[in-house]
Structures are given as structure tokens and as C-alpha cells.
Amino acid sequence: MSLCRVCDGELKTVISFGQMPVANAFLTPSEFASEYFFDLKVGFCPICCMVQLQKCVAPEKLFHNKYAYLSSLSLRMNQHFRAFAEDMKARYLTSHNPFVVEIGCNDGVMLQHLASDRIRHLGVEPSRNVAALAKDKGLNAVCRFFDETLAKDILKKYGSADLIVGANVICHIPDLHAVARAVDMLLKPSGLFVFEDPYLGEIVKKTAYDQIYDEHVYYLSIASVDSMFRRYGMAVVDVEPQSVHGGSMRYTIARRQTVELSPKVDEKKRLEESIGLHKYETFVRFRMRIEKSREQLQELIRDAKLRGKRIVGYGATSKSATVTNYCSLGPDSIDFVCDTTPAKQGKYSPGMHIPIKPNEDFVKDYPDFALLFAWNHKEEILGKEQEFLKRGGQFITYVPSVSILSR
Ligand code: SAH
Ligand code: TYD
Ligand code: ZN
């Protein structure tokens, strides 16, 4: 029996993927034998509606001095975070000498746009290699996990924050109570906490089960986030859907009664109820669609291989670890995965051990099919791979459903 990390309710299992490797742990052959696996299982809490991993991997095992994900590598994410920073500046950072804390600043993809305007800032980033990249950009960053102890230290050194931001990080932190207490401690009375994460509504709608992996401890909705922060005298006061990462939600949290509630919050909460995000049955159907998706992808790939076709994976995303392992796709069906991240190249994918190669290898000898693991960057990738398409190459996708993309 697993209990909800938020309210201690008894979790109802949505899906069990079995033993899975760490999604961002790209490895060398000498590491194959000692590879770490864990039981990847998602549960739904019928009391507070929080969807979450039933068991999680210790954060120190995921975020360390060799963290493979670099935010700045995608053009689209750069544009997204520039716009995020500009929006924060215009709306919330107009007071005298404001102070901003970013949780999980990675290589400084967002913070750089605040620092360039000489805004007082601090990035919190536990993965040493990426924190070092932020510091190399001249950003002020501390290599720690965000928690109450750190909040106290920040308070002592810099004073309280006008704004705390985070992207694709809050859903990574197992102890949300500690996050809420630390935010409460650090934020000025009228301060705001703005964060975004992949949105449960989109994950369910698109059957994007590949969002489920070790780092994503929570699959957040407005209802579950609101109920979590209400326990600490705060509430969701605004929400804004984002198109990145296949569909995210940006939540603005404030202390209750300090900010007027946007009508969008109740409107979108009603939408969540209409799609059944508060009901276990919705997730039973989600599981059935996931199982169907696996069958269809396996069949499509089996058929292509029988016809002697070459298949290459496109983008060694964290998400692809769930797909390749759950669908048993190894180097016998996928020659290699191309990826622009230098730290992933030359290594092997977690669990299935498919070689990771630079994009040049894809271009040098186009395959018949490219399995689009980075489906959330579809426009950017299709835009730059016109030559592949012109020569008759085709992209295979599995989100929202298994299909071959038409040109
Ligand atoms: N904000 C960036 C990075 C997201 S990846 C973006 O949206 O692209 C998640 C990042 O959060 C990683 O760099 C990881 O090291 C960091 N992280 C994980 N747990 C954290 C915690 N408890 N406190 C602060 N950062 C954390
Ligand atoms: P991301 O979208 O962050 O997915 P996840 O959160 O699942 O890791 O990662 C995108 C990955 O795809 C990253 O490793 C870089 C790679 N990539 C390419 O190789 N080529 C591209 O054109 C793009 C946009 C991304
Ligand atoms: Zn709960």
C-alpha cells in the first residue's frame, strides 16, 4: 500500500511500468552491469486528486555533477524562457530593487534575461555541472536543493523575495510540503510564486505516458496544486496554459486575500472536472490507451523491420526511456538515437542501451524512419529536417497516437 505524499490518502494504482532505469542516466558499456532500476508505478489519490509516483528515486541519484539535461540547447525553450522572464519583469518586478529566486535554474536559460537588466537574483540548482554553466554566464547561483534550510540561509543573506519562479522543477520535488513551507518563509507578504510544469490534463488528453519517469514525481493539475498550497495559507490565483513540453500549466500562487483571483482559475478547474481529473475511472481509461499505444507502436516497428527499413530515434529525451523500455525497443529495432546534447553523445540509452549519436550521423546517412522521441519539439525538428523529408524519410510519432507524420 502506498500513501499520498500530500494528504496520506491511500493511492490507487493507475499503471505499473515494471522495472525502469533512471531516465537521464545515459551510460557507457562498463556501467551496464551495475545499472540502477526501480519500480515505476503511478498512483491517483482519491482524496486530494494528486497523481504521483508510488515510489521515487532519491534526488541525489538524479541530480548530481553529471546531470544530462541542458535547458539552453533548444531554440524554442530559449525563446520560451526569454518571454517568461520578460513577462515577470513587466508584471511583477517593477518595484525598487526587487529580488527573484529561481528554483532549478539549470544553465541559466531564464535567469540570464533577468540578470541582463541587473535584477537581483539567485538561482538554486543542485546539479553541479549545470549550476557551473549558470555561474559561467555571470549568474548568481547556489548549488543546493531548495528546502527550508536553504530558504533560511537565503533570507539571512539576501532578505525576502518579491518573486520565486520555477519551471519543470516543482513536480520533481518529492516533499511538496517542504517546498510550500520554504516558499512561505522566503516570500514577502505580497510576493508571488510562479511555476510551470507538464499539465496532467494534457498528459491524459494526449496519452503522453512518456512524461511518466523517475524525475516527474507529480503530474499536476490546478485542483491538486491549489489544494496543496491552501494548506499553507496560499492559493492558486492565476493560471496560464503553455505549449512547451507537450502542454504545461503556469501557476501563480499568492498568500490568500493578497491578490484578486483570476476568473480563469475557476473556469479551468471546471474544465478539469468535466474531463474527470478527479475520478479514478479517467485514469483506468488512460491506462487502457497506454497499453493500446504500446501494441500499435510495437506493431508498426515490427512491420517496418520486416520490410528491411532502417529506423533511428530522434532526440534522446528523458521521456524516451519510458517508451523504449516499456515497448522493449532496443538496438535491434532502433539503430541509434541522434541528439544534440554533447554529454549524451557516445553514450547508451538507459535500460535498452541504444547508442546515442550526434545529429550529423543522422544527416550523413538518412534512415527510412525517424522515431520522434522529442515530439514536443516537432515544429523545430520538422523545420530543420526538410532534407530528410524531401528524400522520402518519414517521422513516426506516438503522441497523441501512433502514426506516421504526413509531410
Ligand atoms: N528550469 C529548467 C530546468 C528543468 S530540469 C527548465 O525548465 O528547462 C529540472 C532542474 O531542477 C534540474 O536542473 C535539477 O537539477 C533541478 N532540481 C531538481 N530538484 C531540485 C530541487 N529540490 N531544488 C532545486 N532544483 C532542483
Ligand atoms: P526535452 O524536450 O527537454 O525532453 P525531456 O524533458 O523528455 O528530456 O529534451 C529534448 C531532447 O532532444 C534533448 O536531449 C535535446 C534533443 N534535441 C535534439 O537532439 N534535436 C533538436 O532539434 C531538439 C529540439 C532537441
Ligand atoms: Zn492525497
Side-chain angles (χ1 to χ4, degrees):
M1 182 176 93
S2 311
L3 298 182
C4 171
R5 288 184 190 79
V6 172
C7 77
D8 282 337
E10 195 177 322
L11 294 177
K12 295 178 89 161
T13 299
V14 172
I15 183 163
S16 181
F17 289 100
Q19 292 291 301
M20 286 279 157
V22 169
N24 259 313
F26 295 88
L27 18 75
T28 58
S30 67
E31 294 165 325
F32 289 173
S34 58
E35 191 170 12
Y36 176 83
F37 286 85
F38 75 104
D39 194 15
L40 182 65
K41 205 187 262 184
V42 181
F44 167 78
C45 173
I47 297 169
C48 75
C49 300
M50 187 65 91
V51 176
Q52 57 200 278
L53 294 188
Q54 293 192 198
K55 283 187 193 144
C56 60
V57 179
E60 295 73 19
K61 239 183 157 56
L62 308 178
F63 310 112
H64 38 56
N65 59 356
K66 285 187 185 148
Y67 185 59
Y69 182 70
L70 301 184
S71 305
S72 291
L73 283 184
S74 152
L75 195 65
R76 168 113 186 277
M77 293 314 291
N78 269 295
Q79 290 163 345
H80 174 78
F81 284 116
R82 176 192 291 266
F84 193 160
E86 294 303 330
D87 189 38
M88 293 299 104
K89 263 189 257 179
R91 286 161 75 161
Y92 308 132
L93 298 173
T94 50
S95 67
H96 177 68
N97 199 18
F99 176 49
V100 183
V101 173
E102 182 179 358
I103 308 174
C105 71
N106 199 272
D107 57 10
V109 67
M110 170 146 67
L111 224 42
Q112 64 191 356
H113 300 293
L114 300 177
S116 60
D117 275 7
R118 297 173 171 261
I119 290 174
R120 279 200 307 139
H121 64 273
L122 176 69
V124 178
E125 179 46 68
S127 297
R128 193 164 296 280
N129 60 321
V130 290
L133 293 174
K135 288 181 191 171
D136 288 347
K137 289 180 182 159
L139 302 173
N140 187 30
V142 54
C143 188
R144 302 255 300 263
F145 285 95
F146 182 74
D147 57 18
E148 291 156 281
T149 320
L150 178 62
K152 260 184 223 149
D153 292 349
I154 297 175
L155 211 50
K156 215 186 309 166
K157 190 159 172 192
Y158 301 93
S160 50
D162 296 81
L163 178 69
I164 302 177
V165 289
N168 308 299
V169 61
I170 300 309
C171 74
H172 292 51
I173 306 181
D175 191 352
L176 283 185
H177 292 284
V179 170
R181 284 194 295 264
V183 165
D184 190 26
M185 206 182 277
L186 193 55
L187 213 51
K188 279 187 183 163
S190 60
L192 295 174
F193 176 32
V194 180
F195 72 92
E196 63 184 46
D197 278 300
Y199 180 52
L200 179 65
E202 291 293 326
I203 294 174
V204 169
K205 184 167 114 193
K206 298 191 167 91
T207 316
Y209 69 88
D210 58 346
Q211 289 286 7
I212 301 169
Y213 59 90
D214 51 84
E215 287 182 28
H216 292 166
V217 179
Y218 296 100
Y219 304 85
L220 302 172
S221 65
I222 301 168
S224 63
V225 169
D226 193 44
S227 111
M228 170 65 216
F229 282 92
R230 279 182 182 271
R231 293 164 175 265
Y232 293 89
M234 295 177 260
V236 174
V237 294
D238 203 359
V239 287
E240 204 170 330
Q242 305 292 324
S243 62
V244 292
H245 286 295
S248 288
M249 188 62 77
R250 186 176 297 167
Y251 307 90
T252 301
I253 314 265
R255 292 201 171 80
R256 254 137 69 187
Q257 268 102 43
T258 60
V259 179
E260 207 178 322
L261 188 73
S262 158
K264 272 194 281 178
V265 177
D266 282 336
E267 187 191 305
K268 294 240 165 351
K269 266 189 181 170
R270 280 196 295 274
L271 218 59
E272 289 185 345
E273 288 206 7
S274 73
I275 59 171
L277 293 189
H278 60 305
K279 284 193 210 145
Y280 181 60
E281 296 78 71
T282 304
F283 299 98
V284 172
R285 287 197 296 273
F286 177 52
R287 176 180 63 224
M288 284 155 58
R289 290 198 303 279
I290 295 172
E291 287 164 357
K292 188 89 201 148
S293 173
R294 166 164 74 171
E295 272 170 37
Q296 291 174 335
L297 185 61
Q298 286 175 329
E299 190 182 318
L300 194 155
I301 290 190
R302 205 179 306 123
D303 178 63
K305 292 313 289 179
L306 282 173
R307 290 188 290 126
K309 304 293 184 192
R310 268 183 66 228
I311 308 173
V312 163
Y314 202 106
T317 55
S318 328
K319 296 185 289 289
S320 65
T322 300
V323 178
T324 51
N325 286 276
Y326 176 61
C327 301
S328 310
L329 303 176
D332 48 339
S333 45
I334 296 170
D335 290 11
F336 63 88
V337 182
C338 68
D339 195 283
T340 49
T341 316
K344 296 181 185 176
Q345 297 162 359
K347 298 217 169 142
Y348 291 80
S349 75
M352 296 313 292
H353 305 160
I354 307 169
I356 314 295
K357 298 193 174 174
N359 195 252
E360 290 72 41
D361 284 60
F362 174 74
V363 175
K364 210 161 56 191
D365 184 13
Y366 286 129
D368 301 292
F369 292 108
L371 178 50
L372 191 54
F373 289 132
W375 55 266
N376 50 315
H377 298 286
K378 186 167 102 181
E379 280 74 27
E380 185 173 342
I381 292 170
L382 263 59
K384 71 183 192 195
E385 299 299 354
Q386 284 302 308
E387 191 57 30
F388 167 62
L389 296 169
K390 262 191 220 148
R391 294 197 194 186
Q394 289 180 304
F395 280 100
I396 300 171
T397 192
Y398 43 85
V399 174
S401 56
V402 174
S403 62
I404 290 175
L405 292 180
S406 55
R407 263 207 258 172

